[in-house]
C-alpha cells in the first residue's frame, strides 16, 4: 500500500489498521477505510489527492465482495 501523506497524519491510523485487518476481518477493514477517507476529505489537503483516489479505488473493488460489505 502507498504511504499516507504527512498532511493526513491524524487519520493515518485508520488506513494502517484497515490494511492489517483486510484478510481476517474484511468488513471491519472496509468500514475503517471508508471512515478514514471521509475524515481525510474533510481535511481538504491538496497533496492527499492521489492517496485518497487510491483508497477510493480499493473501496470500489471491495464493494463487489460480499465479505467486505455484509456485517459478520
Amino acid at each position: 500500500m502507498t504511504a499516507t501523506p504527512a498532511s493526513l497524519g491524524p487519520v493515518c491510523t485508520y488506513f494502517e489498521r484497515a490494511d492489517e485487518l483486510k484478510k481476517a476481518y474484511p468488513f471491519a477493514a472496509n468500514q475503517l477505510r471508508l471512515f478514514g477517507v471521509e475524515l481525510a476529505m474533510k481535511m481538504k489537503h491538496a497533496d492527499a489527492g492521489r492517496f485518497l483516489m487510491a483508497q477510493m479505488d480499493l473501496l470500489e473493488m471491495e464493494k463487489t465482495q460480499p465479505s467486505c460489505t455484509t456485517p459478520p
Side-chain angles (χ1 to χ4, degrees):
M1 186 90 264
T2 59
T4 308
S7 62
L8 294 180
V11 296
C12 74
T13 304
Y14 297 108
F15 300 111
E16 292 169 357
R17 191 69 176 142
D19 289 338
E20 291 172 12
L21 295 175
K22 189 172 183 172
K23 289 186 180 176
Y25 301 102
F27 179 76
N30 180 274
Q31 295 301 304
L32 280 170
R33 189 176 317 281
L34 179 61
F35 187 64
V37 167
E38 289 172 353
L39 289 177
M41 289 178 72
K42 290 178 183 178
M43 295 171 74
K44 299 180 182 175
H45 289 286
D47 66 335
R50 287 181 192 242
F51 175 78
L52 290 176
M53 288 301 294
Q55 296 299 311
M56 287 188 263
D57 288 342
L58 279 173
L59 286 169
E60 284 297 315
M61 286 184 351
E62 291 173 351
K63 192 189 298 185
T64 63
Q65 302 171 0
S67 63
C68 291
T69 57
T70 306

